[in-house]
Amino acid sequence: MKKFRKVLDGLTTSSPANPGGSPACGSAAGTPSTAPTPRELEIQETLMSEHFQICKTVRHGVPYQPTALAFDPVQKILAIGSRSGGVRLLGRPGVDCHCQHESGAAVLQLQFLINEGALVTACADDTLHLWNLRQRRPAILHSLKFNRERITFCHLPFQSKWLYVGTERGNTHIVNIESFILSGYVIMWNKAIELSTKTHPGPVVHLSDSPKDEGKLLIGFESGTIVMWDLRAKRTDFRIYYDEAIHSASWHHEGRQFMCSHSDGSLSMWNLRNTAKPFQVTFPHGKTQRDGRKESCKPILKVEYKTSRNSSEAFVVFSGGLSYDKAGRRPTLTIMHGKAITVLEMDYPIVDFLVLCETPYINEVQEPYAVVVLLEKDFVVVDLTQSNFPIFENPYPMDIHESPVTCTAYFADCPPDIIPVLYSIGAKHKKTGYSHKEWPVSGGTWTVGSQTYPEIIITGHADGSIKFWDATAITLQMLYKLKTSKVFEKPKSGDVGRSAELVEEDPYAVQMISWCPQSRILCVVGISAHVILYRFSKHDASTTITSLEVRLQCEMEDVISPSDTENTPSFSDPSGHSPQPQPPSPRSNTPDSMRDSIPCLKVKDRMIRMPPGYQAELVVQLLWVDGEPPQQITSLDLNSAYGLLALGNCNGLTVVDYLQKTILLCMSTLELYGSADPFQRLTRSPRKNRQSTSDFCMRGLSNFHSDSKKRIRTSYQSLTELSDNQVSLDLERSKSPTSAPYTPSLHNDPRGTGEPVSNLRSCHYSPVFYLLDNESRENSFSRSRSSSVSSIDRETKEAVTTLQFAESYGRKSDTLPTPCLWVGTSLGLVLIIPMSIPTDEQERLEDPVTVAPTGTVLMLKGSILRIGFLDCGGALINSPYEVWRDQHAPDHPDRPRKRKLVNFSPSSSQEASGDGHLAVVCSERQAKVFFMPSQACLYVHNITESSFVLRADVVSVCNSVCLACFCANGHIMTLSLPSLRPLLDVNYLPLTDMRIARTFCFTNGGQALYLCSPTEIQRITYSQEMCDNLQEMLGELFTPIETPEAQNRGFLKGFFGGNAQTFDREELFGEAAAGKASRSLAQHIPGQGGMEGMKAAAGGVVGELARARIALDERGQRLGELEERTALMMTSAETFSKHAHELMLKCKDKKWYQF
């Protein structure tokens, strides 16, 4: 009997009184509840689990933490390796592929099999991989794991199948590329150096074959030892011992001399005729001091020595080498051409560079035409053919991270005219001075697929900028950039600014974006508790920005119960206008207490000229109240048809009429409930010690605790930090609850990993920022919603987590839909606020809009994330909107400009929803479908018990609608609508972090994106149809191209230049001559199996057929040429014979003295 009573008590506590009339819902996932429905809904659901599959589509941005660079001069494909084991392959615009090593080991070096459609990667786990690039999705064909030695350098000669591999021990091994098996031929370090040498030469840092003789291999050791190894004779030709460490070496194309770069900032030139000492040593950036010595310089990490046909002077390109006394100078790339020295300063440290040349043959004049420079956070190409060395305009989006990305928004199937308009406006502000030549990385083929539609990605950044990107057809191109900081006055040097303590570094950082593509109205939420409303115009204008200040602060001191909620402090004037500023409180003399009724930032109050594009019209700012800074805005919604803007935070809700520039509603969440508050709330006593402004940051919403000192403070710096860092909690945990809060620095170790969201408690003040408290970090996801709601320690503050304007029913008795605002809170409650909006355009601008909270409450477990609406046929109901009109366009007397509203009129509303509609509400724990206006719960599904949902959206897929969810444990789920049947549940991102949590977003068409690194955007699809069509959408990396023929060296050059003896590597390195290598030295690992391996094999077969076809064509062409030459020779011989016969007849009767 006691157990039965406990069950009943549990039911009563988990289902509190619901004066709004929402019946208790069953917990069976995806099954109809027992609640009576107004009528039977027969909705045919077409979506099945077969319609869904998770697949990565494309990655945009510069690779994060790049490590290596390679280029195929025939295919003109570029490869970039990264520290996380990624390989990015780039060709012409549209040819962009990302590959990932499963081990995640850093890529040390990349080597193309030139014009073979293959790539060799050497990774930090001492493994070599052979990638097949003859397919749209490259795959690994072979791997070779070294067990006893560490790989330091690799070299693959052109048109060779033998790869030279240098190791940390100083040995050089040789790998057969076709079989990926080690040869028994090994160049041991002790044989390469003299026997009398007592020290180890160090790791191999350079390997290259001589342009003059392929049978000679130049080996460079780190200590400064250089050896020329004769591969045929298996001995050294010469040894060079230099005092300074070697970083790189580069040959002259004739093979008679080479250049080395050293750790002291010098370049040494060596001639093969005399290797006793260098014939030239230069310090390009080292000046001679008064005592005659050269000033110390930084190491030259790499040098390339290239010759040109048009100039007798060679190009010498190197990185580093600056003097140490020039502190603070940016990284440089130096180009020496004759006596001219050009120093190019880079924005970021140089990782690697390559000089692009016309020919792949190392024994020909190189003809350099460009330099590819890989930086830590950028990628530039310099034009060498022009004297001022301009850079090429990069067609890839490599500047996504120009300022750290703080939020993203993804819009599929946009109006077709919006992309050309944004591009035309943004093109006027593009940089100039680029090279006029064609982008040199032009390999591969790509065509726009048949199933394309306009897509736009919007990114918000830490400096307050907003970028619009054209994301159509898996590409990404910059359209337009907007700077929100121009709305505000710059803080004076003496006055750091009122937001300096709230946000130390980035007071303009973008927190949320709301954009209406149809009306082209943009709303931006900033970290300093401000909202900026922009309108789009093709014409420039001079206007004044209207500023509205909102006093939205809550500090209750008594116990609140539903009976006395009407006595709570008023947050708004009954007239609906902004409250009047109050004088500062005299209770404290601290500077914080003097701050009252002031915003964090000052809006420009003068006439401003605004260029075409997005022009600021209204700024809404939350004010300091009695020394307390405003809480950050956690939710936002905009409706262009209503002309209303709603915003909320942990204190309450504000509704703004942006047409009349007035505040309609400014109330706390308790006031919104009125007498319908389902909870008995216990409040905290007033704060004795004011928290510093940096303490006011967002925190988790699912777990409410009265002890605010146990809260982990996370500065905004952690949200915009570029590096992935793990927040250490040991110091915070070791402190007592009464100790001062501590903000851990996230800048210390850039090699750390991101903070895992799987350890986060639910945290949904906004879809952008997710923070947590200490207890939730320790307990992970163990606490359920019911326990936190019924806890007597629950905080009274209830955050507004989601807002949605819609044509809906505010009361059960309503017969027709009216404009409503749906408000979702952190306690899992949904409030419906009906509004009365005049329909006539003139009345709308003059008559006030009335907002009347009714106390209607719907309940879910977990904070509310998303609200969507379906009609009785199961189709998605789009929100009303206003068709865009240019307010600054010149007036036409024949066509007066009027507001054109869509889905907003009594007739259309009655036709669309007169019989009711369905409301889909998703929280961090569960989803429910309600029938309106009866508010009956038709379906309920508990999404997760062990984790929580981070992002949820009602999206269109395959001509139907579903609910897509992304959980903190990395699962991506889709649920059918309205029955909430599970259709997809894939553990896609098991190790997520804060960056992914705040940037993940879904869109229509089965697509989604997130920031996979601080510099890259990863786009994915969860649609089976798009996965099937992905092969057509991706570009081809390999195209059959004839390898250019080597130049004819001429008779004299070939005779006197040596190289008469042919070099057969197979004869030297093959198993018959060299034997087998030790099995314990390296382990061969076959490529991936399954369908991917079959596809790779199929791609290889196709490639082989293509190569065979090209070879046959070449052979036929050469046979035809040979036949023509033979015919010419026969004709020439006949002509010669005829002339000789005529000459004989003419001279046979002449005497000798007649000649």
Side-chain angles (χ1 to χ4, degrees), residues 290-586:
R290 292 182 179 179
D291 56 1
R293 294 183 302 174
K294 292 282 186 180
E295 59 181 350
S296 59
C297 296
K298 299 176 183 177
I300 295 179
L301 301 179
K302 185 175 181 180
V303 64
E304 292 215 21
Y305 185 26
K306 303 297 179 183
T307 53
S308 176
R309 217 178 258 104
N310 299 328
S311 174
S312 59
E313 302 289 348
F315 280 92
V316 178
V317 184
F318 63 88
S319 60
L322 292 178
S323 59
Y324 278 104
D325 62 346
K326 296 177 181 178
R329 285 196 64 175
R330 294 191 292 179
T332 59
L333 182 80
T334 304
I335 302 173
M336 298 173 59
H337 189 212
K339 296 182 179 180
I341 299 179
T342 305
V343 179
L344 305 178
E345 290 190 342
M346 302 294 169
D347 294 332
Y348 305 102
I350 298 174
V351 176
D352 198 0
F353 73 89
L354 285 174
V355 178
L356 307 188
C357 301
E358 296 287 352
T359 176
Y361 296 94
I362 60 173
N363 58 355
E364 296 179 359
V365 179
Q366 298 296 287
E367 290 293 341
Y369 60 89
V371 183
V372 178
V373 188
L374 179 63
L375 309 177
E376 276 191 3
K377 296 174 185 176
D378 204 355
F379 163 69
V380 296
V381 181
V382 181
D383 187 358
L384 286 182
T385 61
Q386 300 183 40
S387 57
N388 58 341
F389 303 126
I391 65 172
F392 289 88
E393 185 176 5
N394 202 325
Y396 316 120
M398 295 295 181
D399 57 348
I400 295 174
H401 63 285
E402 186 179 13
S403 175
V405 178
T406 54
C407 67
T408 58
Y410 193 5
F411 300 88
D413 206 6
C414 299
D417 59 337
I418 189 68
I419 290 179
V421 168
L422 288 173
Y423 182 80
S424 62
I425 298 295
K428 299 176 182 177
H429 305 284
K430 277 194 172 183
K431 297 179 181 178
T432 57
Y434 293 111
S435 172
H436 299 294
K437 294 202 170 183
E438 185 181 353
W439 177 252
V441 186
S442 57
T445 56
W446 178 76
T447 55
V448 179
S450 57
Q451 298 180 348
T452 58
Y453 43 83
E455 300 175 67
I456 287 181
I457 294 174
I458 305 178
T459 55
H461 300 265
D463 62 353
S465 63
I466 292 175
K467 293 181 180 179
F468 289 77
W469 306 85
D470 178 10
T472 306
I474 72 169
T475 61
L476 196 69
Q477 184 181 8
M478 177 82 161
L479 290 175
Y480 175 72
K481 182 178 179 181
L482 174 68
K483 294 182 179 179
T484 63
S485 58
K486 291 185 176 181
V487 173
F488 304 99
E489 299 282 2
K490 292 183 179 179
K492 298 179 181 178
S493 56
D495 180 16
V496 183
R498 291 177 288 258
S499 65
E501 296 180 6
L502 180 64
V503 183
E504 297 178 359
E505 293 185 355
D506 304 302
Y508 310 111
V510 179
Q511 183 179 348
M512 275 184 286
I513 297 169
S514 178
W515 184 53
C516 177
Q518 289 78 17
S519 63
R520 303 183 187 177
I521 294 180
L522 174 69
C523 257
V524 180
V525 175
I527 198 71
S528 298
H530 64 267
V531 179
I532 310 174
L533 185 139
Y534 290 90
R535 286 184 183 269
F536 186 83
S537 176
K538 296 181 180 179
H539 307 273
D540 56 359
S542 296
T543 57
T544 302
I545 302 172
T546 305
S547 176
L548 293 179
E549 297 178 347
V550 180
R551 189 180 178 89
L552 188 62
Q553 198 78 358
C554 178
E555 185 69 39
M556 292 170 289
E557 307 196 5
D558 300 323
V559 176
I560 304 298
S561 63
S563 60
D564 56 73
T565 51
E566 60 272 11
N567 297 325
T568 55
S570 176
F571 286 82
S572 65
D573 227 332
S575 61
H577 295 283
S578 178
Q580 295 298 321
Q582 297 181 4
S585 172

Side-chain angles (χ1 to χ4, degrees), residues 715-1020:
S715 66
Y716 178 73
Q717 183 180 10
S718 68
L719 298 175
T720 60
E721 175 57 27
L722 270 180
S723 59
D724 294 340
N725 301 296
Q726 179 71 35
V727 181
S728 175
L729 303 180
D730 296 336
L731 179 59
E732 183 69 14
R733 288 175 179 171
S734 64
K735 290 192 174 187
S736 64
T738 58
S739 62
Y742 167 75
T743 304
S745 173
L746 300 185
H747 292 268
N748 294 336
D749 187 9
R751 296 171 296 177
T753 58
E755 182 178 346
V757 170
S758 57
N759 293 332
L760 296 186
R761 199 57 192 111
S762 172
C763 26
H764 283 288
Y765 270 103
S766 77
V768 180
F769 301 103
Y770 304 90
L771 303 181
L772 62 157
D773 57 47
N774 196 6
E775 185 172 345
S776 65
R777 172 64 82 92
E778 294 174 358
N779 295 341
S780 187
F781 308 127
S782 59
R783 299 176 65 93
S784 67
R785 163 57 66 197
S786 59
S787 63
S788 62
V789 168
S790 59
S791 170
I792 60 173
D793 291 335
R794 183 180 61 251
E795 281 189 6
T796 55
K797 282 194 176 182
E798 181 179 5
V800 177
T801 55
T802 186
L803 295 165
Q804 183 67 52
F805 287 104
E807 297 278 307
S808 186
Y809 303 85
R811 304 169 184 84
K812 287 185 178 182
S813 58
D814 289 349
T815 57
L816 292 176
T818 58
C820 292
L821 174 62
W822 286 58
V823 182
T825 73
S826 56
L827 292 184
L829 303 179
V830 179
L831 297 138
I832 306 173
I833 303 176
M835 300 172 293
S836 176
I837 301 176
T839 56
D840 182 74
E841 180 174 358
Q842 192 62 31
E843 293 178 356
R844 175 64 186 86
L845 298 176
E846 297 175 356
D847 297 347
V849 176
T850 57
V851 180
T854 60
T856 300
V857 178
L858 308 176
M859 297 192 65
L860 281 82
K861 291 193 299 183
S863 61
I864 307 299
L865 298 181
R866 187 65 58 193
I867 301 171
F869 302 95
L870 308 176
D871 61 21
C872 292
L876 185 65
I877 299 177
N878 295 314
S879 298
Y881 62 88
E882 175 189 1
V883 178
W884 174 73
R885 57 195 178 106
D886 196 338
Q887 291 189 331
H888 299 297
D891 293 330
H892 292 279
D894 299 336
R895 292 182 299 168
R897 290 184 287 116
K898 293 184 178 180
R899 294 185 72 206
K900 183 180 179 182
L901 307 182
V902 180
N903 297 335
F904 178 55
S905 67
S907 59
S908 64
S909 299
Q910 186 173 1
E911 292 173 3
S913 305
D915 297 330
H917 64 77
L918 303 178
V920 181
V921 184
C922 183
S923 73
E924 63 185 9
R925 300 286 185 185
Q926 66 177 190
K928 288 186 179 181
V929 177
F930 297 93
F931 183 81
M932 304 300 291
S934 70
Q935 302 172 16
C937 180
L938 302 182
Y939 299 94
V940 59
H941 175 72
N942 293 324
I943 299 173
T944 177
E945 293 295 339
S946 60
S947 182
F948 58 92
V949 180
L950 287 171
R951 185 70 185 236
D953 280 294
V954 178
V955 293
S956 299
V957 181
C958 299
N959 299 320
S960 189
V961 186
C962 71
L963 177 65
C965 304
F966 173 59
C967 293
N969 59 7
H971 283 246
I972 293 179
M973 308 176 185
T974 59
L975 306 173
S976 68
L977 290 177
S979 65
L980 298 178
R981 286 181 298 108
L983 299 173
L984 174 74
D985 188 353
V986 176
N987 188 7
Y988 177 69
L989 291 170
L991 297 176
T992 58
D993 54 31
M994 293 286 287
R995 184 194 326 103
I996 296 175
R998 73 173 187 267
T999 57
F1000 196 102
C1001 55
F1002 294 99
T1003 189
N1004 295 328
Q1007 297 194 73
L1009 66 81
Y1010 58 92
L1011 216 66
C1012 59
S1013 75
T1015 61
E1016 297 170 285
I1017 290 177
Q1018 178 67 60
R1019 292 165 67 179
I1020 65 173

